[in-house]
Amino acid sequence: MYLDKFYKTLRCHHRSDTHHHHPHPEDSGSGITTQKSGTREIKVVRRVLDVNEKMADENRKVFAEKGVFVINVMSSPGSGKTTTLQKTLARIMPEIKSAVIVGDICTTNDADRLAVSGAPVVQINTDEFGGDCHLAAHVIEKAVGGLELDDIDLLIVENVGNLVCPAEFDIGEDARVVVLSVTEGEDKPVKYPLMFRQCEVALLNKIDLLPYLDYDKQQAIDCIHQVHPNMPIFEISAKTGAGFEPWLDWLKNKVRQKTN
Amino acid sequence: MHEMGIALQIIEIATASIPPNLADVRIETVNLKIGKLAAVVPDSLRFCFDVAVKDTPLEGAKLAIEELPVVAKCKDCHTQWTISGPAFKCENCDGGSLEIISGRELDIESIEIAEGD
């Protein structure tokens, strides 16, 4: 499995090579060499993820030209991302023309569920046996090729369920949304601070279950605000549809701002 | 979790940084800076790097990692301080609007190559 992953990732990086010219050290004036005893130090000074960042900027340019608002939806596995998006699409379509890119390690189950809305859906499988833990910008670029961007106003990217790695990878989105459910620990935001700092809004899902749980909702809200003060939190139930209005208003407003 | 991908990217950048006139040199060390807020575990990265350098110009190279603290600056009162726990509030004025000065780094600073022979 390890080697599988190794080669898969290697292929991905070779792909991204075609979009990127590696500067030789003397190109940028960064090739200053300094003498140490027995070794020579060559300055590099480059961000390791700059290939991804450049690709994300390319994506962002395309989305701007086409007037498409893009959200990157992230959460841990099982927090209800897909159900939330199913309900969201059912409420905003056809008023807001939407498409979805959904990332999973394996299966097309989520794409099948989301396609019921009538929105075009592109499923990305990162690897059949324990593949990439996140969607990177070049994967989005490829997936976007299968969509008619002229025909849509909103692109929803449902990332791989994971609170760690997706936070690190810019895909060219306009806004990041994190879904947290009340069946998870109240302290998740402080355990995964980068995710909650990187996202613009949080959806607190499954609130219909609160009467049956020993969940301290205020503690969860405090934890979110500890890592991201003033972060807007929408309390929703994807199952019952409760609390969706403020979330949908936020989303529609954002789409309007980008497409007008 | 994606340390192998990061390790491969590091090898690619480091290999591309070898001056063309020094084609057959051995790279001894890759100097890396990782912020505490980057989603990368240094020990996992070292492990992946050691596996991935096989049959590359970096075989046998050491990954020297400097970890950088999370430093924030308050946009209201301009206080600058080092964040030690996951609390992103100004230690001076309690404001929540802050800029992360450092802590997100994942940068290759330099490579060190063996001199002479």
Side-chain angles (χ1 to χ4, degrees), chain B residues 71-90:
Chain B
V71 177
K73 187 177 177 182
C74 177
K75 286 181 181 170
D76 299 322
C77 74
H78 308 294
T79 301
Q80 192 166 313
W81 78 106
T82 300
I83 297 180
S84 49
F88 291 79
K89 249 184 196 163
C90 177

Side-chain angles (χ1 to χ4, degrees), chain A residues 80-215:
Chain A
K81 276 188 303 301
T82 309
T83 308
T84 300
L85 295 177
Q86 272 180 298
K87 291 285 166 79
T88 300
L89 288 167
R91 302 270 292 266
I92 61 173
M93 296 260 292
E95 182 196 342
I96 293 179
K97 290 168 282 175
S98 313
V100 185
I101 294 174
V102 54
D104 281 296
I105 287 171
C106 203
T107 81
T108 59
N109 297 352
D110 285 1
D112 298 341
R113 287 167 60 191
L114 292 162
V116 174
S117 66
V121 180
V122 180
Q123 172 83 53
I124 296 167
N125 286 134
T126 57
D127 199 334
E128 282 166 55
F129 302 101
D132 268 349
C133 42
H134 61 273
L135 295 178
H138 66 90
V139 176
I140 297 300
E141 186 238 3
K142 199 172 155 201
V144 163
L147 293 169
E148 287 296 336
L149 290 183
D150 288 323
D151 298 341
I152 60 167
D153 298 321
L154 170 67
L155 175 61
I156 298 173
V157 178
E158 182 183 339
N159 218 311
V160 180
N162 176 350
L163 283 176
V164 185
C165 317
E168 190 72 80
F169 291 84
D170 186 0
I171 56 172
E173 72 278 69
D174 294 289
R176 297 170 187 184
V177 175
V178 60
V179 183
L180 181 69
S181 63
V182 300
T183 51
E184 303 168 60
E186 294 94 339
D187 58 351
K188 267 206 176 157
V190 290
K191 286 181 173 170
Y192 303 92
L194 182 64
M195 176 60 75
F196 285 83
R197 282 222 45 99
Q198 292 293 91
C199 288
E200 195 172 324
V201 295
L203 301 179
L204 188 60
N205 191 22
K206 309 191 188 180
I207 53 162
D208 54 302
L209 293 178
L210 283 173
Y212 314 104
L213 302 169
D214 294 326
Y215 190 78

Side-chain angles (χ1 to χ4, degrees), chain A residues 2 5-6 9-10 13-14 16-17 22-26 35-36 38-51 132-134 162 164-165 167-169 189-191 193-194 197-198 223 225-230, chain B residues 1-2 4-6 8-10 12-14 16-22 28 31-32 37-40 47-48 51-52 85-89 95-100 104-116:
Chain A
Y2 218 76
K5 162 100 193 229
F6 179 88
T9 321
L10 196 63
H13 286 300
H14 278 182
S16 56
D17 250 11
H22 287 290
H24 288 289
E26 65 269 27
Q35 297 288 337
K36 271 194 181 181
T39 61
R40 184 197 302 202
E41 186 177 9
I42 298 170
K43 288 279 172 205
V44 180
V45 196
R46 261 185 66 183
R47 295 176 57 76
V48 175
L49 294 178
D50 68 355
V51 174
D132 268 349
C133 42
H134 61 273
N162 176 350
V164 185
C165 317
E168 190 72 80
F169 291 84
V190 290
K191 286 181 173 170
L194 182 64
R197 282 222 45 99
Q198 292 293 91
C223 283
H225 287 153
Q226 192 183 327
V227 293
H228 192 156
N230 308 321
Chain B
M1 252 179 262
H2 50 269
M4 183 52 94
I6 302 279
L8 293 168
Q9 200 70 59
I10 290 168
E12 201 174 308
I13 294 174
S17 306
I18 302 171
N21 59 330
L22 297 173
E28 291 200 334
N31 291 308
L32 198 69
L37 207 51
V40 174
F47 175 79
C48 293
V51 174
F88 291 79
K89 249 184 196 163
S97 169
L98 42 96
E99 187 188 344
I100 301 294
R104 291 292 319 276
E105 294 82 357
L106 185 51
D107 303 338
I108 295 191
E109 283 298 302
S110 65
I111 54 174
E112 290 173 28
I113 57 178
E115 273 286 283

Side-chain angles (χ1 to χ4, degrees), chain B residues 20-43:
Chain B
N21 59 330
L22 297 173
D24 287 327
V25 292
R26 190 165 56 83
I27 298 184
E28 291 200 334
T29 310
V30 176
N31 291 308
L32 198 69
K33 282 187 176 167
I34 302 183
K36 291 268 194 195
L37 207 51
V40 174
V41 180
D43 279 345

